[in-house]
Amino acid sequence: MAVDIKSPKEIDLMRKAGRLAADTLLLVGEKLRIGMTTDEIDRIVHADTLRQGARPATLNYKGYPKSVCTSVNDIVCHGIPDGTVLKNGDIVNVDVTHVYEGFHGDTSATFYVGTPTAEARHVVEVARRALDEGIAQVRDGARLGDVGAAIQEYVEREGCGVVRDFVGHGIGRKFHDAPQVKHYGKRGTGDRIRAGMTFTIEPMVNLGGWEVEVDPNDKWTVRTADGSLSAQFEHTILVTRDGCEILTARGRALQNSENVAALFVA
C-alpha cells in the first residue's frame, strides 16, 4: 500500500486535530482521581471532543462502543470504559483520537492513580522513555526498522517486554493507514521514512513478557498473557526534512503522569 505524503494544507489540519486531542488528554489528567470510573473518563473525553468541534474517532469504529480506550493495569490496549472504579495504585492508559475536518489526531498516555508502586513506576517510565527513543530516530531517509530497534533495545535493557501484536500506523484522513510502525526490529531495515509522512508511534510495554491475549467475550480488550502490568504512550508524528514534528505535543505538564514522574528524579 502506498504511503500518503501530506500537502501543506493537510498538515495544517493535522496540526489542529493533534492539538485538540492533546488538549483533551490534558483535561483527563486534571480530572483523574481515585474512585472515578472509566466510564467517567469516557464522558469527559466525549464531551470535550464535541466542545472542540471534533468527533471521537473510536465511537462506533468497527463496532467499538465508546469514545475513548481506557486500559487499566494488565490491560495493554483497547480497554472499554465501564463501571470499573480506579483504585489507589492503579495505572490507566487513556487513548484519545479526534477527527477534525476529516483528519485524525491520535495520542495516549498512562496515568498514575494515587500513589504508584515501584513496579508501576518502572513500567510506566520505561514506556514513556521508549516513545522518546523511537521519536529520536525519525527523520527523512531513515528506516522504520530504526524506530523499532531503538524502542526494543531500550525496553529490553530495562527488563521489560515490548508488544509485537499491536503497532503504530499511518494516519491522516484514515484512522489506520500505511505504514505499519513496529516497536521492535532491526536497524537499517523496513520502509524508508519520507518527509510529509504522518504516523503514530505508540509502544506498549509490559512489565513481564511481550505476549498478549484478546478477551474472547468482548473481542476488544487486550491483556498481558502473564498478568503483568502494561503501560503505553503515543504521539502522532509528522516527518520533516531535518527530523520530525510531534503533532500531539502538549503545551504543559500532564497531571497525574508527567508531574508525578518528576518526583522520581533525584
Side-chain angles (χ1 to χ4, degrees), residues 113-174:
V113 183
T115 304
T117 65
E119 292 79 9
R121 292 199 307 266
H122 184 65
V123 73
V124 171
E125 298 313 317
V126 169
R128 191 193 310 277
R129 178 65 185 273
L131 174 58
D132 293 341
E133 293 285 335
I135 291 172
Q137 301 300 313
V138 179
R139 62 184 60 83
D140 184 59
R143 290 188 181 273
L144 287 174
D146 301 337
V147 175
I151 292 170
Q152 182 181 8
E153 289 164 7
Y154 169 70
V155 170
E156 292 181 354
R157 279 200 309 271
E158 293 296 325
C160 296
V162 62
V163 171
R164 278 31 167 202
D165 299 63
F166 297 89
V167 298
H169 52 88
I171 189 168
R173 289 190 182 276
K174 293 181 180 179

Side-chain angles (χ1 to χ4, degrees), residues 30-94:
E30 292 164 3
K31 299 286 188 181
L32 193 76
R33 67 186 188 280
I34 297 169
M36 77 186 305
T37 66
T38 53
D39 252 339
E40 289 180 76
I41 296 174
D42 182 70
R43 289 194 289 271
I44 290 167
V45 170
H46 184 86
D48 195 59
T49 305
L50 298 184
R51 180 191 64 80
Q52 294 172 328
R55 67 175 177 84
T58 59
L59 185 60
N60 300 318
Y61 179 76
K62 297 185 177 180
Y64 187 81
K66 298 286 184 170
S67 296
V68 69
C69 297
T70 53
S71 302
V72 181
N73 294 335
D74 67 327
I75 299 178
V76 175
C77 61
H78 303 162
I80 301 173
D82 57 14
T84 298
V85 176
L86 297 178
K87 305 182 299 298
N88 183 48
D90 284 346
I91 57 174
V92 56
N93 176 269
V94 179

